[in-house]
Amino acid sequence: MLKSKDLLGIKELTAEEINLILDTASGFKDVLTRDIKKVPTLRGKTVVNLFFEPSTRTRTSFELAAKRLSTDVVNFSVPLSSVVKGESLKDTALTIQALGADFVVIRHSSAGVPHFLSQILKASVINAGDGTNEHPTQALLDLFTISSYKKKIEGLNVAIIGDIMHSRVARSNIYALTKLGAKVRLICPPTLLPLGINNLQVDVFDSLEDGIKGADVVMAVRIQLERQGKGFFPSLEEYFNLYGLTGERLRLAKEDAIVMHPGPINREVEIAGDVADGPQSVILEQVTNGLAIRMAVLYLLSGVKE
Amino acid sequence: MNILIKNGRIIDPARDIDGTGDILIEDGKIKSVRTEEEGVKGQRENKLKIIDARGMYVIPGLVDMHAHLREPGFEYKETIKTGTMAALRGGFTTVCSMPNTDPVNDNKALTEFILRKAYTEGACCVYPIGAITKRLLGEELAEMGMMKEAGCVGFSDDGKPVMNSLIMRMALEYSKIFNAPIISHCEDLALSRGGVMNEGFLSTTLGLRGIPNAAEEIMVARDIILSKLTGGRLHIAHVSTEGSVRLIREAKARGINVTAETCPHYFSLTEDAVKGYNTNAKVNPPLRTERDVEAIKEGLKDGTIDVIATDHAPHHIDDKEREFDTASSGISGLETALSLGLRLVWEGVLGLRQLIEKMSLNPSRIMGIPKGTLSEGADADITIINPKKEFVVDSGRFLSKGRNTPFDGWQLKGLPITTISMGKVYRWE
């Protein structure tokens, strides 16, 4: 079982808990390949998706995962809610609790919002991305995907390329991968490297060619297009020129290296289109595995025993 | 009624007094101070209100040169009435109020309003600080002359830096007419923009945007250079970093006209207080590292930092119980400052006399106000401290409307038990 009622981040999990989630997800992955892809496990429970930031894949994935477990799902999208009328986050959360939510899946642009909600709500709070802090279910599905190809995590060389500073996906992956014994390399311009990241057990490269050599896994993270013109890098063209994941550069990694990306992709910015669509890419597999991971998380947090 | 404070340990740095004795108060003024060495004269005690201060420290009322009383405009956070009561509870008998109210105190009418309110509703003395620039926009100088005439004792855009170096230069030049200090909130906004805590490994792991020490230090260096250029009176507000202490120390050694303050949270806490997204530890400048805390203590010890001010920044709970990014910055500081200052004495960082200088005499001198001493004829502003009293900080019992403190639950030693403001006695036990 998980120690906490909430999933706030990978930081808060032990290696055993991560493995438990991954193992549980394998079981649910089998469910998803059946003809009837639904189990009655969490019938009568209510999941509220509380998304303060735009999201397609994460919200849909949580919604579908919750439905596969037979819960009732409510999507609370901010532009239609009282938040635009000035309601505070606390009042919104308490209102949702009063409606009887068992799970609150929260995405917010401010780091720490899930932690704040977890203190005021009895419901289980699941972090679906908070500011530049964490995106734990993304890292879990990435680990699940990696281990399905590589059969292990320990000892693998995983290169993460891109805007590490603003990426909660990168942060969660760094915590998860290092907890399970992978060797993590970060590849980015120094302007996009978060301060003190070397305190985590990672190797930092500002040259993609150096960093990608011999990697088992190559993970590109998104460059948010609004970062342009803020001085982090001179132009998207220059960025692609230095840090774009091209077929030629991918050849420096191990021959059987897999290519990952949390999406949405900017083709020809952080990754060349032919690499994203190529034989080493497991990007769509990540999306599928996301369902199994989120089912596992909901199930484990529910405390329901089957 | 006249008052006799008996047998206390009287400490008045202004007159180099530290000894057991009595203080006689008549008509709101200090009539006489007698210590054992001089021989305590017999008073006709039956006509006096007697305060037995045996075992207590009897010191000049504390002077806070940096507080936000929020009125007008933010009365839901604090009023002059509640803020001055909080001050008294904390041992302060004089408060300088920062001008970032709504409307801003950038003109004489506002200054007069604050003084009138302080006179009718305030519990202790209030000296307003006027804005350096109109509406705190950093664009053109406010009417310092008229504000000074109305009662402002210094000028500051606190809460915001004066980013334009030319405007800052002119402020330092122009304020020389009135011999009033320019109190600088040092923050390079380009470096700090979006930041909500100290920049470092912790901000990285919390996913919060950091503010580097350089954001403060660059402006401290700039203002020292401008003070040298102009000869204007510069006072650096809320020093939080090791580098700032070093820059100020060097400037003083070179004879530049600069003074500086820090606040209790910068010598009592590190950025670790933010862990768990604790918005009560969100403050600007942010809480820094152990290294900075040590440097601040060293700066207090060697006299680089002249003053301990509170930067009392009361906020309503709704402004704090929310997203860390959008929560208001600031700490409600008046009611814990003295006890946190005394911690430095118990730790041996400061002598008792030094602490009293930094919380009473030095701010009075910098602001040019007739406070901070127990001289005969001075206003009877006196704080009596029980140095042995141990207590647990309970923000629920604050007199300030602002309960926002990261010190809730702290066990501290030494507390004001009586505060006398202009001869009026407030007892806290």
Side-chain angles (χ1 to χ4, degrees):
Chain A
M1 281 282 110
L2 300 178
K3 282 197 297 286
S4 166
K5 76 174 173 71
D6 312 296
L7 176 63
L8 300 178
I10 302 291
K11 276 198 293 284
E12 286 83 359
L13 296 178
T14 61
E16 293 71 42
E17 288 176 307
I18 294 171
N19 282 322
L20 173 65
I21 296 169
L22 298 180
D23 291 345
T24 311
S26 321
F28 284 117
K29 189 159 185 196
D30 296 340
V31 172
L32 294 169
T33 57
R34 290 182 202 158
D35 195 22
I36 293 172
K37 301 178 178 60
K38 195 159 178 160
V39 288
T41 318
L42 296 184
R43 182 151 47 201
K45 298 273 184 187
T46 303
V47 176
V48 175
N49 277 327
L50 183 54
F51 276 60
F52 288 84
E53 268 189 345
S55 159
T56 318
R57 69 196 67 214
T58 305
R59 193 186 55 72
T60 314
S61 178
F62 267 109
E63 182 175 354
L64 210 48
K67 285 179 170 166
R68 295 278 188 251
L69 291 166
S70 303
T71 69
D72 298 310
V73 188
V74 180
N75 287 313
F76 182 101
S77 52
V78 170
L80 302 174
S81 73
S82 302
V83 173
V84 291
K85 298 179 191 166
E87 187 174 60
S88 77
L89 175 63
K90 187 182 175 190
D91 287 334
T92 302
L94 291 174
T95 302
I96 284 169
Q97 171 149 295
L99 290 170
D102 299 294
F103 299 92
V104 175
V105 179
I106 172 83
R107 167 167 291 190
H108 200 286
S109 58
S110 279
V113 163
H115 307 69
F116 173 62
L117 293 188
S118 74
Q119 285 159 23
I120 58 175
L121 295 182
K122 287 193 221 56
S124 287
V125 175
I126 300 173
N127 184 355
D130 63 327
T132 54
N133 180 41
E134 283 221 43
H135 190 352
T137 56
Q138 178 70 43
L140 290 165
L141 74 89
D142 288 342
L143 256 58
F144 188 83
T145 307
I146 293 169
S147 62
S148 73
Y149 281 90
K150 301 292 174 192
K151 307 302 167 207
K152 56 163 192 175
I153 302 288
E154 197 174 354
L156 290 180
N157 281 302
V158 181
I160 305 176
I161 311 166
D163 182 357
I164 312 292
M165 179 180 274
H166 301 101
S167 175
R168 54 193 172 212
V169 174
R171 297 269 216 296
S172 285
N173 265 300
I174 293 167
Y175 303 134
L177 289 162
T178 51
K179 279 186 184 191
L180 295 197
K183 288 182 228 147
V184 177
R185 309 160 175 188
L186 304 178
I187 304 169
C188 65
T191 47
L192 289 175
L193 187 72
L195 211 75
I197 196 82
N198 323 50
N199 293 1
L200 302 170
Q201 288 169 321
V202 295
D203 292 314
V204 175
F205 297 85
D206 53 22
S207 153
L208 196 158
E209 285 78 3
D210 292 347
I212 202 173
K213 260 181 211 131
D216 298 288
V217 177
V218 181
M219 188 184 294
V221 296
R222 206 175 129 68
I223 286 289
Q224 292 177 24
L225 298 181
E226 60 271 23
R227 303 279 173 225
Q228 274 191 95
K230 299 269 172 69
F232 295 107
F233 50 88
S235 69
L236 292 177
E237 291 73 18
E238 167 133 337
Y239 182 84
F240 185 71
N241 192 36
L242 285 170
Y243 296 101
L245 182 58
T246 60
E248 195 182 336
R249 284 171 172 156
L250 183 58
R251 277 195 286 279
L252 298 169
K254 280 205 183 131
E255 209 176 326
D256 62 347
I258 55 171
V259 172
M260 306 178 75
H261 191 296
I265 296 171
N266 297 306
R267 287 167 187 264
E268 321 312 326
V269 177
E270 66 261 356
I271 189 165
D274 58 339
V275 172
D277 303 331
Q280 288 169 274
S281 168
V282 300
I283 294 172
L284 293 174
E285 184 76 7
Q286 289 174 265
V287 177
T288 311
N289 290 337
L291 271 177
I293 282 291
R294 287 167 182 129
M295 287 172 80
V297 167
L298 286 166
Y299 168 71
L300 289 169
L301 291 177
S302 74
V304 170
K305 292 185 181 71
E306 220 181 14
Chain B
M1 187 169 201
N2 298 332
I3 303 161
L4 182 66
I5 304 169
K6 289 189 67 173
N7 300 318
R9 177 175 166 193
I10 300 169
I11 306 152
D12 183 14
R15 293 198 303 154
D16 209 11
I17 292 173
D18 184 349
T20 304
D22 302 349
I23 296 179
L24 179 64
I25 298 166
E26 274 184 22
D27 304 322
K29 302 279 183 189
I30 293 173
K31 173 75 173 174
S32 64
V33 177
R34 294 279 180 272
T35 52
E36 274 165 353
E37 300 84 73
E38 306 161 83
V40 180
K41 279 189 208 148
Q43 306 279 356
R44 282 178 298 154
E45 296 189 358
N46 55 348
K47 284 196 171 172
L48 295 169
K49 179 187 174 80
I50 307 284
I51 297 174
D52 182 10
R54 198 177 300 270
M56 307 293 150
Y57 300 160
V58 180
I59 67 167
L62 303 180
V63 175
D64 187 8
M65 64 176 290
H66 189 146
H68 299 271
L69 297 181
R70 303 296 189 208
E71 189 175 358
F74 304 100
E75 288 84 353
Y76 74 103
K77 292 177 192 265
E78 190 83 288
T79 62
I80 287 169
K81 188 175 179 179
T82 57
T84 51
M85 278 308 291
L88 289 176
R89 164 68 75 83
F92 291 90
T93 52
T94 300
V95 169
C96 299
S97 62
M98 282 295 175
N100 60 341
T101 47
D102 182 20
V104 169
N105 181 18
D106 62 358
N107 65 79
K108 129 181 190 286
L110 240 293
T111 306
E112 284 166 352
F113 168 84
I114 291 165
L115 285 170
R116 197 162 53 245
K117 271 276 183 179
Y119 186 74
T120 55
E121 294 175 19
C124 73
C125 290
V126 175
Y127 289 91
I129 293 168
I132 297 172
T133 66
K134 287 176 187 155
R135 293 160 61 210
L136 307 177
L137 293 177
E139 290 165 0
E140 42 178 340
L141 294 183
E143 291 163 345
M144 290 186 195
M146 284 196 274
M147 283 192 284
K148 174 77 177 163
E149 204 172 86
C152 281
V153 291
F155 299 96
S156 182
D157 276 4
D158 184 61
K160 291 180 176 179
V162 178
M163 280 299 288
N164 182 323
S165 300
L166 176 60
I167 300 288
M168 193 59 172
R169 172 193 179 157
M170 291 195 288
L172 284 162
E173 283 171 336
Y174 191 78
S175 63
K176 287 201 286 186
I177 310 172
F178 321 109
N179 192 30
I182 294 291
I183 301 168
S184 179
H185 169 112
C186 292
E187 176 182 359
D188 184 325
L189 291 176
L191 281 172
S192 68
R193 188 156 287 133
V196 293
M197 67 169 292
N198 184 49
E199 182 179 276
F201 180 57
L202 187 61
S203 66
T204 291
T205 53
L206 288 173
L208 293 171
R209 185 85 71 89
I211 301 173
N213 285 17
E216 174 173 314
E217 291 157 6
I218 282 172
M219 295 298 264
V220 169
R222 182 201 73 171
D223 289 348
I224 286 169
I225 291 165
L226 290 175
S227 173
K228 171 89 162 50
L229 175 68
T230 59
R233 284 186 57 196
L234 172 67
H235 177 81
I236 307 288
H238 44 55
V239 171
S240 77
T241 78
E242 183 192 23
S244 297
V245 175
R246 193 164 50 236
L247 286 162
I248 295 161
R249 184 179 291 128
E250 284 165 10
K252 284 187 164 186
R254 287 165 56 214
I256 293 168
N257 202 354
V258 58
T259 53
E261 76 191 27
T262 189
C263 312
H265 37 277
Y266 299 119
F267 59 70
S268 307
L269 289 171
T270 66
E271 60 176 358
D272 284 350
V274 173
K275 281 181 183 168
Y277 302 94
N278 177 10
T279 55
N280 281 329
K282 182 179 176 184
V283 59
N284 189 23
L287 301 173
R288 304 288 188 181
T289 64
E290 198 56 53
R291 199 183 156 111
D292 297 294
V293 168
E294 288 311 311
I296 298 280
K297 286 183 182 172
E298 193 53 44
L300 282 165
K301 191 174 183 153
D302 72 12
T304 301
I305 300 174
D306 307 88
V307 170
I308 296 172
T310 66
D311 196 0
H312 178 70
H315 287 295
H316 192 271
I317 190 164
D318 292 347
D319 298 326
K320 284 290 192 181
E321 213 173 38
R322 54 178 304 135
E323 299 91 323
F324 196 92
D325 280 339
T326 55
S328 297
S329 289
I331 291 171
S332 181
L334 281 167
E335 290 167 80
T336 49
L338 176 59
S339 303
L340 292 165
L342 284 167
R343 244 174 125 234
L344 295 180
V345 177
W346 313 145
E347 285 173 10
V349 176
L350 291 182
L352 183 58
R353 175 192 166 134
Q354 257 185 313
L355 178 73
I356 296 163
E357 280 173 0
K358 289 178 198 298
M359 298 189 77
S360 182
L361 180 62
N362 294 352
S364 302
R365 284 185 174 159
I366 290 167
M367 302 312 291
I369 56 180
K371 299 287 187 180
T373 172
L374 299 173
S375 305
E376 274 107 8
D379 293 333
D381 287 352
I382 300 170
T383 298
I384 303 174
I385 298 166
N386 180 348
K388 297 208 173 72
K389 171 83 179 173
E390 294 192 26
F391 70 104
V392 174
V393 177
D394 176 4
S395 63
R397 299 182 61 193
F398 278 8
L399 298 181
S400 169
K401 285 191 183 183
R403 306 288 165 85
N404 47 304
T405 175
F407 298 110
D408 230 350
W410 277 42
Q411 176 102 34
L412 296 173
K413 194 176 96 170
L415 190 69
I417 51 159
T418 301
T419 312
I420 302 172
S421 172
M422 308 289 277
K424 190 165 180 209
V425 178
Y426 297 82
R427 287 172 182 271
W428 307 114
E429 281 183 323

